[in-house]
């Protein structure tokens, strides 16, 4: 009889425990609901502090791992985030070991993550207000079971189901579910995991190497998997910014591939209203940008962008806010109307280059004579992926053919590096390639002048060139329609963050080839130097040799005839 009573008590205790199952009691609030209804293959939940973004992500991942459907606030079942009824491979990713141990393990495997409240009729449910949360926690002393409880894992025990990297610190490596699903935990600071097909990847908050996101996305294709990213607006994380930008572009599609849902601190009903007031007042002291990022999850672009003041309105050709006539734009417009290309031939031309293994960027500059004002115009670009030096030189030749360039500029530090195992520098390789292609400038021939390698000073110099002067004009001008990669990088070029404070250094690992090339040019100062007579300076290419021979044979002396040679899109050489 005593044994039967013990068994009965055990069953009652187990039933009571399962009555506290967080996932079965969980009901998203209306402001969270779009996150659970999304069918996009990539879902970004961006929110302010304490906006419940991570707990939302934990509920989604736990439901997928347990092959469950969650219930909405109206009592109806929500669509599953992943297929039901088969084992899944799930990755959860945190920035480092501490994030996995302190945050992801807590959210998925520790009790008390869902605030509970007991109604007058004795029914336990999820708390829906701050007052219910306070009563449930302090007076009723209710504690919810984990989102992934022990009875759902292999052997119904964390001891047997979890493989640890550091058990004492809760740093888990792998969890095997009773249904065959396996959850792997990875830090974003180690080597990127490759090769395995995955059903669901959950990234929580910031990551060490944003470039890893592309590899994680590739893991999902085999199984039509989904990527979930829950994050505060880490504006220095270019992968997060790009995902948000992609979502913005697709927001009007009926079935977007990537979707962003915004969660706000202000909408969270489980936070004491007086505590909200305190936070609003404290965050407001740091300015509106800080308040918007903390409350609504807005990107603090003014704090993180390297060049936040850049705009085609003020830096484009033509300018729209200058206080003086835009002589530069007028000259370019007149030149184009005569079908003579973009840049007048008496403007000084420069090229600055950022060579690289994966991508080489070249920026083409034009500096007008002093009577137009003190300006430097970016009028063209090259953005070449996986091109060797000879291929780059040929592309440069196509751009400069028929024009006199004053100088070619390259980074001092990189150009002096030697290729592994060889007594030759990158400067030697690219100089040789330019000479082979018949490309040269007045000042450096087929070689390059060296630009200073100080990143901080270089970025400050660019900002100085962007600063509006008393007449409302900046020194730096851009012909936007000709340089899409310059514009693209300018919008996402970030400062480095240390301890959540922006420094004046560029962030590491971002796509910044055009920004580097631009900085090299600015640091070279690019003075106006009168363009030499083409008869006195002849770049060593076949077009100019032909042009010189024709001139020497007397065709150039005919006063009323003009010979025009087309040397590529938008460029010409004219001989009077």
């Amino acid at each position: 009889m005593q044994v039967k009573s013990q068994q009965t008590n055990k069953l009652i205790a187990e039933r009571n425990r399962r009555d506290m199952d967080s996932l079965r009691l969980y009901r998203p609030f209306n402001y969270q609901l779009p996150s659970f209804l999304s069918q996009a293959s990539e879902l970004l939940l961006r929110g302010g502090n304490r906006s419940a973004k991570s707990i939302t992500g934990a509920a989604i991942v736990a439901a997928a791992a347990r092959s469950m459907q969650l219930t909405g606030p109206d009592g109806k079942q929500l669509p599953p985030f992943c297929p039901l009824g088969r084992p899944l491979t799930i990755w959860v990713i945190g920035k480092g070991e501490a994030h996995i141990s302190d945050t992801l393990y807590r959210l998925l495997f520790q009790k008390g993550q869902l605030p509970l409240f007991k109604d007058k009729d004795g029914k336990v449910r999820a708390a829906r207000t701050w007052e219910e949360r306070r009563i449930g926690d302090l007076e009723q002393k209710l504690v919810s079971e984990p989102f992934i409880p022990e009875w759902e894992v292999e052997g119904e025990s964390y001891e047997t189901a979890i493989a640890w990297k550091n058990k004492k610190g809760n740093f888990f490596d792998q969890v095997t579910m009773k249904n065959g699903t396996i959850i792997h935990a990875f830090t974003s600071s180690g080597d990127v995991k490759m090769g395995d097909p995955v059903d669901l990847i959950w990234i929580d908050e910031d990551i060490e190497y944003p470039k890893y996101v592309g590899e994680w996305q590739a893991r999902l294709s085999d199984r039509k998997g989904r990527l979930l990213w829950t994050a505060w607006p880490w504006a220095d994380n270019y992968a997060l910014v790009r995902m948000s930008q992609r979502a913005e572009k697709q927001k009007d599609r009926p079935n977007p591939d990537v979707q962003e849902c915004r969660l706000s601190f202000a909408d969270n009903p489980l936070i004491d209203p007086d505590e909200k007031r305190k936070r609003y007042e404290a965050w407001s002291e740091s300015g509106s940008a800080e308040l918007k990022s903390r409350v609504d999850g807005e990107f603090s672009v003014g704090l993180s962008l390297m060049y936040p003041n850049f705009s085609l309105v003020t830096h484009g050709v033509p300018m729209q806010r200058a206080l003086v006539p835009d002589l530069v734009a007028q000259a370019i417009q007149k030149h184009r109307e005569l079908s003579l290309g973009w840049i007048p031939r008496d403007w000084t031309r420069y090229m600055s280059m950022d060579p690289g293994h994966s991508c080489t960027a070249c920026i083409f500059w034009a500096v007008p004579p002093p009577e137009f004002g003190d300006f430097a115009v970016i009028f063209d670009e090259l953005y070449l992926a996986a091109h060797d030096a000879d291929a780059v030189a040929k592309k440069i030749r196509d751009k400069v053919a028929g024009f006199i360039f004053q100088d070619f500029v390259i980074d001092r530090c990189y150009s002096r590096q030697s290729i592994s195992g060889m007594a030759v520098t990158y400067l030697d390789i690219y100089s040789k390639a330019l000479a082979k292609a018949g490309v040269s400038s007045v000042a450096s021939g087929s070689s390059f002048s060296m630009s200073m390698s100080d990143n901080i000073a270089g970025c400050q110099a660019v900002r100085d060139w962007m600063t509006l002067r008393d007449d409302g004009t900046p020194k730096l001008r851009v012909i936007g329609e000709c340089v899409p990669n310059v514009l693209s990088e300018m919008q996402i070029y970030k400062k480095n963050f240390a301890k959540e404070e922006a420094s004046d250094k560029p962030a590491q690992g971002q796509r910044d080839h055009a920004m580097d090339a631009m900085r090299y040019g600015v640091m070279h100062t690019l003075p106006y130097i009168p363009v030499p007579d083409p008869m006195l300076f002849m770049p060593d290419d076949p077009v100019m040799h032909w042009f010189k021979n024709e001139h020497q044979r007397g065709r150039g002396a005919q006063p009323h005839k003009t010979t025009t040679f087309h040397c590529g899109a938008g460029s010409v050489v004219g001989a009077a």
Side-chain angles (χ1 to χ4, degrees):
M1 187 71 177
Q2 185 177 2
V3 173
K4 185 175 181 180
S5 177
Q6 290 176 345
Q7 291 177 339
T8 300
N9 291 337
K10 186 177 180 179
L11 289 173
I12 292 173
E14 180 64 17
R15 186 193 66 186
N16 291 337
R17 185 171 70 144
R18 299 198 180 205
D19 285 344
M20 308 292 277
D21 185 344
S22 291
L23 273 194
R24 299 190 185 280
L25 297 174
Y26 181 80
R27 299 291 184 273
F29 294 102
N30 287 330
Y31 81 100
Q32 297 170 296
L33 198 55
S35 307
F36 295 90
L37 298 177
S38 172
Q39 295 299 302
S41 58
E42 298 177 48
L43 176 61
L44 172 59
L45 306 186
R46 175 160 60 94
N49 294 114
R50 311 306 301 161
S51 59
K53 54 189 180 297
S54 291
I55 200 73
T56 301
I60 290 172
V61 171
R66 295 174 60 180
S67 199
M68 284 179 55
Q69 283 184 264
L70 295 171
T71 303
D74 59 358
K76 297 180 181 179
Q77 284 191 322
L78 297 169
F81 198 80
C82 290
L84 302 175
R86 69 169 176 84
L88 304 176
T89 298
I90 299 174
W91 289 3
V92 295
I93 297 170
K95 186 170 186 177
E97 294 182 12
H99 192 83
I100 292 176
S101 304
D102 299 339
T103 302
L104 299 183
Y105 181 82
R106 171 179 58 82
L107 289 171
L108 294 174
F109 302 107
Q110 287 188 346
K111 295 182 178 182
Q113 303 310 304
L114 181 69
L116 300 178
F117 175 75
K118 184 181 290 186
D119 282 332
K120 294 180 180 179
D121 59 3
K123 182 180 179 181
V124 175
R125 58 173 174 79
R128 304 299 291 175
T129 66
W130 157 250
E131 184 64 17
E132 288 183 354
R133 177 178 185 173
R134 185 192 64 78
I135 294 172
D137 288 346
L138 300 181
E139 298 180 15
Q140 298 173 342
K141 299 187 184 304
L142 301 173
V143 180
S144 60
E145 289 293 322
F147 276 123
I148 299 180
E150 281 193 296
W151 65 80
E152 290 284 357
V153 302
E154 187 177 61
E156 298 193 7
S157 169
Y158 293 150
E159 293 292 328
T160 59
I162 298 180
W164 301 95
K165 288 185 178 179
N166 180 357
K167 184 177 180 181
K168 186 176 181 180
N170 291 333
F171 182 23
F172 68 99
D173 178 44
Q174 177 178 306
V175 180
T176 304
M177 303 291 293
K178 186 189 297 184
N179 61 15
T181 289
I182 298 178
I183 304 171
H184 301 269
F186 298 104
T187 68
S188 67
S189 56
D191 293 335
V192 62
K193 186 71 169 67
M194 303 173 67
D196 299 334
V198 184
D199 296 283
L200 170 59
I201 295 178
W202 176 29
I203 306 170
D204 187 54
E205 296 295 355
D206 198 16
I207 53 178
E208 190 71 29
Y209 298 114
K211 63 183 180 181
Y212 284 0
V213 173
E215 181 59 38
W216 294 331
Q217 289 168 325
R219 300 300 103 226
L220 299 168
S221 296
D222 287 348
R223 297 183 179 177
K224 296 182 71 66
R226 300 184 71 181
L227 174 69
L228 171 65
W229 197 340
T230 53
W232 187 77
W234 303 96
D236 60 317
N237 186 328
Y238 67 87
L240 181 67
V241 174
R242 286 180 188 170
M243 189 171 177
S244 178
Q245 290 173 339
R246 289 172 54 220
E248 177 65 22
K249 290 179 180 179
Q250 297 185 23
K251 67 179 182 180
D252 294 326
R253 292 187 188 179
N255 298 297
D257 298 322
V258 56
Q259 184 174 356
E260 181 178 53
C261 297
R262 299 281 296 279
L263 304 177
S264 175
F265 170 81
D267 292 331
N268 190 343
L270 298 180
I271 297 177
D272 183 355
D274 191 53
E275 288 300 310
K276 289 183 179 180
R277 177 192 60 79
K278 293 177 184 177
R279 299 289 78 77
Y280 293 152
E281 292 181 1
W283 293 334
S284 295
E285 292 295 322
S286 299
S288 60
E290 178 77 2
L291 180 65
K292 289 180 180 179
S293 65
R294 296 292 179 187
V295 174
D296 297 322
E298 292 281 359
F299 286 110
S300 300
V301 293
L303 301 176
S304 62
L305 280 180
M306 185 63 74
Y307 308 125
N309 295 324
F310 174 80
S311 167
L312 286 179
V313 172
T314 52
H315 299 92
V317 177
M319 293 181 296
Q320 299 180 26
R321 294 182 180 174
L323 303 177
V324 295
D326 191 349
L327 300 181
V328 168
Q330 292 173 13
I332 290 175
Q333 180 62 30
K334 182 177 180 180
H335 207 65
R336 294 200 68 199
E337 289 175 353
L338 295 173
S339 300
L340 297 175
W342 283 96
I343 302 300
R345 300 191 68 81
D346 60 342
W347 292 19
T348 309
R349 297 170 189 252
Y350 294 90
M351 179 191 74
S352 55
M353 183 171 80
D354 176 51
H357 299 291
S358 60
C359 181
T360 294
C362 299
I363 301 297
F364 297 90
W365 302 81
V367 180
E371 58 264 29
F372 290 88
D374 182 21
F375 297 103
V377 181
I378 297 177
F379 70 92
D380 206 350
E381 67 176 22
L382 281 173
Y383 209 82
L384 307 172
H387 281 57
D388 62 19
D390 287 334
V392 169
K394 291 177 181 177
K395 293 290 186 179
I396 292 174
R397 181 183 62 195
D398 294 340
K399 290 286 188 181
V400 306
F403 298 106
I404 296 175
F405 274 70
Q406 176 61 31
D407 207 353
F408 300 149
V409 183
I410 198 171
D411 174 51
R412 180 187 301 274
C413 181
Y414 181 86
S415 65
R416 289 183 172 180
Q417 294 179 14
S418 297
I419 297 178
S420 179
M422 300 177 64
V424 60
T425 66
Y426 286 100
L427 176 63
D428 297 330
I429 291 175
Y430 281 94
S431 297
K432 183 178 179 180
L434 288 181
K436 181 179 177 181
V439 176
S440 64
S441 69
V442 176
S444 54
S446 293
S447 188
F448 295 84
S449 292
M450 302 295 176
S451 175
M452 291 178 59
S453 300
D454 189 329
N455 289 347
I456 295 178
C459 291
Q460 183 57 53
V462 174
R463 286 193 291 269
D464 290 343
W465 280 28
M466 291 182 179
T467 300
L468 297 184
R469 298 169 290 197
D470 291 342
D471 61 359
T473 67
K475 178 167 182 173
L476 179 67
R477 307 287 299 278
V478 177
I479 301 179
E481 61 190 280
C482 298
V483 287
N485 289 290
V486 170
L487 298 184
S488 175
E489 288 192 9
M490 195 84 77
Q491 294 172 0
I492 62 173
Y493 190 46
K494 300 294 190 303
K495 298 177 181 179
N496 187 52
F497 268 63
K499 297 181 180 180
E500 299 189 11
E501 293 293 330
S503 72
D504 287 330
K505 283 185 176 181
Q508 296 295 312
Q510 57 183 325
R511 186 168 70 97
D512 56 4
H513 311 289
M515 295 296 95
D516 288 345
M518 180 179 68
R519 187 174 68 249
Y520 305 153
V522 172
M523 290 295 281
H524 194 58
T525 70
L526 309 181
Y528 172 76
I529 298 175
V531 180
D533 188 326
M535 297 305 103
L536 300 178
F537 175 77
M538 285 295 167
D540 188 21
D541 71 60
V543 172
M544 294 307 292
H545 276 302
W546 189 92
F547 180 42
K548 182 177 180 180
N549 290 337
E550 290 297 304
H551 179 82
Q552 291 173 343
R553 288 166 54 186
R555 291 183 61 177
Q558 300 178 27
H560 302 296
K561 292 186 178 180
T562 299
T563 304
T564 300
F565 311 102
H566 291 267
C567 303
S571 63
V572 297
V573 176

